[in-house]
Amino acid sequence: MSSTAPLEVPSAVCGSAREASVAWRPHAREAVSRGRWPEVDLDPAAEQEGLIVLAKAPQLAEAGVHLHLPATTLATAAEKGTVGADVEQALVEQAWEEPWSFASLLAPAAQLLTIPPARHRPFAQAAARHWPVLESVGPRWTVGDTSGATLWGQHTTLWYVLGQLGVPAERLTQPLPSGGVDGLLADAGVA
């Protein structure tokens, strides 16, 4: 029997939206100025209470775990032109490497970071690689609802990327095949 490693998230993004925003801000600034995500302490998400929030929502101001802050900070900087294209690319590529940072790219506000076609296939490959860990926390994901759902059940940037890779739109609203994202890509002839 194989087991999946637990999802770990930066301790700085745990807490209310306000607490997480204040705690994450210096890490985000460091990342954008250095072109490298900082080393951060990680805590198992299973030990944190609450939802894993992928979008800011007033009704979720006191929810437990927030993963939207890293990528939305980068997306905002990219949109404002305050981060160079080379730094943006480096941070996106680094985000593909760890489940928590990849999860932050799933936030709807991070869609700007998924638009370049050269990022689509590596993004989908990162999704396939990290999916078992991300899905292991169960129905705790939300993009604004006050109750959690499975990650696949949320409208995330992954749907956009998969659509750009040729996965039919109607397939994105159906249950994920038993092979996960890899299985979906294979079923669509994209893998």
Side-chain angles (χ1 to χ4, degrees):
M1 177 186 226
S2 69
S3 68
T4 301
L7 175 62
E8 294 185 321
V9 296
S11 55
V13 300
C14 300
S16 71
R18 180 167 172 62
E19 292 167 339
S21 178
V22 169
W24 184 257
R25 192 172 297 128
H27 298 294
R29 286 185 187 134
E30 179 183 347
V32 170
S33 68
R34 289 183 45 219
R36 177 124 199 98
W37 291 111
E39 294 293 323
V40 293
D41 294 329
L42 299 175
D43 295 324
E47 292 178 8
Q48 304 295 328
E49 294 191 21
L51 301 171
I52 301 174
V53 182
L54 294 172
K56 291 183 181 182
Q59 67 272 25
L60 296 174
E62 296 306 316
V65 180
H66 302 265
L67 295 176
H68 63 284
L69 298 168
T72 56
T73 302
L74 177 57
T76 300
E79 188 174 319
K80 290 180 177 179
T82 58
V83 63
D86 55 337
V87 170
E88 176 188 327
Q89 183 65 28
L91 291 171
V92 168
E93 289 177 6
Q94 292 164 32
W96 294 331
E97 298 304 314
E98 297 295 329
W100 73 266
S101 53
F102 174 75
S104 74
L105 293 177
L106 294 171
Q111 184 156 352
L112 176 67
L113 302 174
T114 66
I115 290 174
R119 293 181 183 166
H120 296 164
R121 191 162 301 277
F123 184 96
Q125 291 167 336
R129 191 170 56 252
H130 297 307
W131 203 259
V133 172
L134 298 175
E135 158 176 274
S136 73
V137 297
R140 292 178 58 191
W141 299 91
T142 183
V143 292
D145 292 333
T146 57
S147 59
T150 64
L151 183 55
W152 182 252
Q154 301 299 306
H155 186 79
T156 68
T157 57
L158 179 59
W159 286 13
Y160 167 77
V161 168
L162 293 174
Q164 295 301 303
L165 289 172
V167 175
E170 64 275 2
R171 186 61 190 94
L172 299 175
T173 59
Q174 297 173 358
L176 197 57
S178 61
V181 175
D182 268 338
L184 179 63
L185 291 169
D187 288 351
V190 177

